Amino acid sequence: MMDRSQAEAAAATRCGFVALIGAPNVGKSTLVNALVGSKVTIVSRKVQTTRALIRGIVIDNHAQVILVDTPGIFAPKRRLDRAMVSTAWSGAHDADLVCVLLDAKAGIDEAADSILAKAAGVDHDKVLVLNKIDLVPREKLLALTKGANERLHFAATFMVSALSGDGVDDLRRALSERVPPGPFHYPEDQMSDAPMRHLAAEITREKIFRQLHQELPYQSTVETDSWTERKDKSVRIEQTIYVERESQRKIVLGKGGATIKSIGAESRKEIADIVGAPVHLFLFVKVRENWGDDPNRYREMGLEFPRE
Ligand code: GDP
Ligand code: MG
């Protein structure tokens, strides 16, 4: 049983899920990193449960804000793409608060338009976040704010640059004020002790898509097979990239291994930045046939298996 002071402390805290919804490249990942701060907080696979999408946890102002970084929302064609999208939207429906991100430079383009239309159907408080304000003049921001608020009722609008950090403190504070009262969902030690493996796999996966955007849309997964800290404090990491077909394996490898080499170099650099130590990254590419139709793979990734 809680004693009185614990009960009082619990009563004074707030906690909630905040879904970040936005088109690919609006800056969701950058914003998560900016909100969380220098130390990227990740949550172990075990804690992830049904949402493989938790990207960061912020503690500010007696509130724990759990950021759910949704995969880019786009027009889904393949089954796995559809699963990503429907999971992203169900994440929004489950969340306590929805942040709709717009790229201030791109404005309300086709992708933003369809997101605003769908977000209208989400029955939660929504806040608008205009990102990349470093790239556009002020007049354009005001016009964009007006345009978006005419389309959809937002409880508040924030203008930020996830890259420079401009406006990020205000947004963090506002989110902390808007999540509902309640005890913290995740113990603080569990957050900081969480293994880096999942995040490292996500980073490699992101590099693959960045390099092979057209050729390999959401057809591959990455798993971290081993993570060994050496005496000299460097870390040896082995990861396997799973693809569906031999032809895709060839694409990931590239001519003379050039593509995988450059994916590995980018990923290694980013992981090393986060770990704060030299990283030796070894990547393998394997074909795992038909996994795109295997419900177990979807469950492991925290996705719902679409029936058609
Ligand atoms: P995501 O696909 O929504 O997760 O977007 P990312 O966070 O990966 O960002 C996509 C690109 O936009 C990257 O090149 C970022 O560096 C860039 N970016 C993100 N936020 C900002 C910003 O506030 N200003 C500028 N100029 N670039 C940004
Ligand atoms: Mg991202």
Side-chain angles (χ1 to χ4, degrees), residues 23-30 131-132 134-135 161-163 210:
N25 280 317
V26 291
K28 295 180 295 296
S29 301
T30 312
N131 187 33
K132 308 196 187 182
D134 53 300
L135 297 178
S161 169
L163 202 62
R210 204 150 272 192

Side-chain angles (χ1 to χ4, degrees), residues 62-299:
H62 307 293
Q64 189 174 54
V65 177
I66 302 151
L67 297 164
V68 189
D69 174 24
T70 59
I73 302 212
F74 49 92
K77 292 192 191 75
R78 298 165 46 84
R79 174 183 264 167
L80 181 56
D81 296 343
R82 285 201 297 276
M84 289 270 185
V85 172
S86 82
T87 302
W89 283 107
S90 70
H93 286 282
D94 291 345
D96 298 294
L97 184 68
V98 175
C99 276
V100 177
L101 261 85
L102 293 184
D103 179 329
K105 179 123 194 275
I108 303 181
D109 57 7
E110 206 182 319
D113 192 64
S114 74
I115 281 161
L116 287 171
K118 270 204 105 166
V122 178
D123 198 19
H124 289 290
D125 265 4
K126 289 170 281 267
V127 300
L128 176 66
V129 177
L130 297 183
N131 187 33
K132 308 196 187 182
I133 60 167
D134 53 300
L135 297 178
V136 295
R138 216 184 142 67
E139 311 82 71
K140 191 174 170 200
L141 294 177
L142 297 176
L144 193 54
T145 303
K146 192 160 171 279
N149 277 279
E150 277 166 8
R151 291 285 311 271
L152 194 56
H153 174 73
F154 288 105
T157 298
F158 298 89
M159 301 183 188
V160 306
S161 169
L163 202 62
S164 75
D166 215 11
V168 171
D169 288 344
D170 286 346
L171 176 61
R172 186 190 300 108
R173 182 49 60 101
L175 297 179
S176 77
E177 284 165 358
R178 282 167 190 273
V179 291
F184 286 2
H185 220 85
Y186 297 108
E188 290 179 56
D189 58 347
Q190 198 170 19
M191 288 163 45
S192 53
D193 288 343
M196 297 289 292
R197 291 164 187 246
H198 184 69
L199 181 68
E202 290 267 304
I203 289 170
T204 299
R205 191 162 174 271
E206 187 183 286
K207 303 308 171 203
I208 295 169
F209 289 126
R210 204 150 272 192
Q211 297 219 7
L212 298 171
H213 197 59
Q214 300 306 324
E215 293 119 299
L216 213 67
Y218 291 105
Q219 289 175 8
S220 63
T221 54
V222 178
E223 287 170 22
T224 302
D225 305 314
S226 75
W227 180 291
T228 320
E229 275 169 45
R230 292 166 158 181
K231 277 212 180 74
D232 65 2
K233 295 266 189 286
S234 69
V235 184
R236 181 195 161 94
I237 302 168
E238 290 182 13
Q239 295 182 325
T240 304
I241 299 164
Y242 289 98
V243 293
E244 280 183 303
R245 279 186 283 280
E246 182 56 29
S247 60
Q248 294 166 354
R249 200 176 79 90
K250 291 212 177 88
I251 292 172
V252 174
L253 291 172
K255 226 183 189 164
T259 306
I260 186 113
K261 211 168 154 187
S262 122
I263 289 166
E266 280 190 23
S267 180
R268 184 188 61 73
K269 190 166 166 291
E270 189 166 331
I271 296 168
D273 279 350
I274 293 169
V275 174
V279 163
H280 310 278
L281 176 63
F282 297 86
L283 297 179
F284 305 92
V285 190
K286 286 189 190 154
V287 179
R288 182 150 58 191
E289 271 174 69
N290 297 328
W291 77 259
D293 294 320
D294 177 0
N296 287 324
R297 309 297 308 162
Y298 286 71
R299 263 194 292 280

